[in-house]
Amino acid sequence: MIGNALHHIDLSNNNMQGQLPRELINSRKLEYFDVSHNNINDSFPFWLGELPDLKVLGLSNNEFHGDIRCSGNMTCTFPKIHIIDLSHNEFSGSFPPEMIPSWKAMKTSNTSQLQYDQSSQVVEITNREATVTRKDPYSFMMSNKGLVMTYEKLQQFYSNFIAIDISSNKISGEIPQVIGDLKGLILLNLSNNILNGSIPLSFGKLSNLEALDLSLNNLSGKIPQQLAQLTFLEFLNVSFNNLSGPVPQNKQFATFQDNSFEGNQGLCGEQLLKKCIEHGGPSFSPPSAPDVDHESESLFELYWNVILIGYVGGLVAGVVLGSAFYPDVVGWLKRFF
C-alpha cells in the first residue's frame, strides 16, 4: 500500500480535528510527520515512537494534552528523532526523563549518522487536496532564537539540525539532568511552562547548543557557570524566572543583552542595571567630624548621635547606630494504511 511506502507526511495548516489515526503505525518508512497548526485534540502519540526511521515530529499549535509519556508495554523510543516540536499545546505533567535516553540520534553530531532518505515518497495535503509525489525536499518551520524560521531542504542543508521545542505548555517539575546527554542539540526551547528547580549543571555538556530558551518559568538558583563553556551559544533567554546571583562573565555572555535576564530580581552582572557587590567585609571608621557626607551607593548608612551629659564631676556618653530593599482528512489517510 502507498501508506506503507511513505517517507514524508505534511498535514500542517489544515483544519484537522479529532484524533490522529493509529493506522499511521504501519508507515514503517516514515521519516517526517508534521500536523502543526490544526485543531487536533489527542494525547501524546507515543506509538509513533515505534517507527524506526522517524526523524521529524511536528505537533505544534494544536490541542494535544496530558503527559508526554509512553503507555502500556510500548517502548516509544524515537531512536532516530532529530526534531521534536510539541510547542503551543496543553501538555502537562513533568518532563519525561525516562524517554530521553532512547533519543539516540540526539546524542551525536556525526553527520554520517544523521542522513535523511534522498528518494522519498511524499504525501502533502493543502486545502483538502491530496498530492503524492516521489521526491520533495523536506522543509520545517519552527521558532528559533526568538524568530519563526523555515528550514528549507532539511536533507541537504540541515541534516545535523537537532532540536527540542516544548514551549508554551503546562510542563511542571524540574528539568532532568539527563538532557545534558543529548550532545547533538542545537536548539532547546522549554519556555513558557511552569518548570521549577534549578538550571541543570549538565547543560554545560551541550557543546553544540546555539539557542537556549528557559524564559517564563519558575526556575530558581544561580545561572550555572558551566554555561559559559558553550562557545556556540548565540541566543540565551532566562528572563522572568526567580534566578539569583551573578551572571557568568565571559566573552560569550558579554554578547547577551539585558533583556535575556530581565524579570529576575536577584540577578546581578555587568549586562544589568544591578551590578554585583563584592562582599569582602568592608570596614567603617568613626567620623572625624560631626558632619559626614553619606554616598547614595552605600549599603548602610551610619547615624551617629552623641549625647553628652555633664553633672558635678561625672560624664556619660551614648552612641546610637542605625541601618537603612493548544474527519475528513483522517478518513483520507485511513485509505492509505
Side-chain angles (χ1 to χ4, degrees), residues 1-303:
M1 299 177 68
I2 294 177
N4 296 345
L6 289 174
H7 292 72
H8 177 184
I9 299 179
D10 188 350
L11 306 175
S12 61
N13 295 286
N14 288 280
N15 191 28
M16 294 184 64
Q17 300 179 10
Q19 298 182 333
L20 294 177
R22 270 47 177 178
E23 290 84 356
L24 285 167
I25 194 66
N26 298 319
S27 297
R28 308 303 292 177
K29 295 184 179 181
L30 191 64
E31 284 192 325
Y32 178 112
F33 183 65
D34 187 7
V35 292
S36 60
H37 293 274
N38 282 288
N39 298 304
I40 299 172
N41 190 321
D42 204 349
S43 57
F44 178 68
F46 58 88
W47 38 275
L48 289 175
E50 295 289 302
L51 300 179
D53 293 319
L54 186 64
K55 296 179 174 66
V56 178
L57 178 61
L59 306 180
S60 69
N61 292 273
N62 279 284
E63 298 173 17
F64 286 98
H65 55 269
D67 291 351
I68 306 173
R69 296 189 183 278
C70 302
S71 179
N73 297 323
M74 303 287 284
T75 56
C76 60
T77 56
F78 295 95
K80 292 189 178 180
I81 198 73
H82 292 190
I83 301 172
I84 182 167
D85 189 352
L86 311 181
S87 64
H88 297 274
N89 280 288
E90 297 293 326
F91 288 118
S92 59
S94 60
F95 205 100
E98 69 278 2
M99 291 178 61
I100 297 174
S102 63
W103 297 355
K104 297 179 180 180
M106 290 191 173
K107 297 181 180 182
T108 180
S109 56
N110 188 332
T111 305
S112 63
Q113 299 180 34
L114 297 171
Q115 296 300 310
Y116 291 84
D117 193 302
Q118 299 296 318
S119 58
S120 59
Q121 191 171 54
V122 180
V123 58
E124 184 171 1
I125 299 179
T126 305
N127 296 325
R128 302 187 180 183
E129 293 293 329
T131 303
V132 179
T133 60
R134 285 297 306 173
K135 188 176 182 180
D136 188 39
Y138 302 166
S139 65
F140 191 74
M141 181 182 296
M142 72 184 306
S143 178
N144 187 359
K145 302 175 185 177
L147 301 172
V148 177
M149 302 177 64
T150 300
Y151 295 87
E152 302 283 356
K153 300 181 180 180
L154 278 174
Q155 301 100 313
Q156 288 88 349
F157 304 122
Y158 300 103
S159 61
N160 64 337
F161 183 60
I162 309 295
I164 297 175
D165 190 345
I166 311 184
S167 64
S168 298
N169 282 283
K170 299 177 181 178
I171 306 300
S172 60
E174 298 187 0
I175 303 174
Q177 290 280 348
V178 71
I179 291 183
D181 294 336
L182 306 180
K183 298 180 181 180
L185 266 180
I186 291 178
L187 164 66
L188 178 60
N189 189 347
L190 306 179
S191 67
N192 196 18
N193 281 286
I194 46 178
L195 295 165
N196 56 38
S198 59
I199 300 175
L201 301 180
S202 62
F203 277 13
K205 299 187 295 182
L206 301 177
S207 56
N208 291 291
L209 197 64
E210 296 180 7
L212 175 61
D213 195 341
L214 302 175
S215 62
L216 295 164
N217 281 288
N218 295 319
L219 299 173
S220 58
K222 296 183 178 181
I223 299 177
Q225 187 65 36
Q226 286 84 346
L227 295 187
Q229 303 170 12
L230 306 181
T231 57
F232 290 107
L233 193 63
E234 298 177 1
F235 177 87
L236 174 69
N237 192 350
V238 295
S239 64
F240 299 102
N241 281 283
N242 298 309
L243 299 171
S244 59
V247 174
Q249 299 298 315
N250 71 342
K251 292 182 179 179
Q252 201 69 23
F253 268 77
T255 64
F256 303 139
Q257 303 300 315
D258 59 351
N259 57 4
S260 295
F261 308 100
E262 66 179 328
N264 294 278
Q265 295 185 358
L267 282 181
C268 61
E270 293 301 316
Q271 303 92 326
L272 310 179
L273 290 175
K274 181 181 179 180
K275 308 304 179 186
C276 300
I277 299 175
E278 295 183 6
H279 298 282
S283 59
F284 296 90
S285 57
S288 57
D291 295 324
V292 180
D293 292 330
H294 300 284
E295 297 181 354
S296 60
E297 294 86 355
S298 298
L299 183 60
F300 299 101
E301 293 184 356
L302 189 60
Y303 296 91

Side-chain angles (χ1 to χ4, degrees), residues 323-334:
S323 60
F325 322 65
Y326 202 154
D328 46 3
V329 176
V330 171
W332 184 91
L333 272 174
K334 289 183 177 181

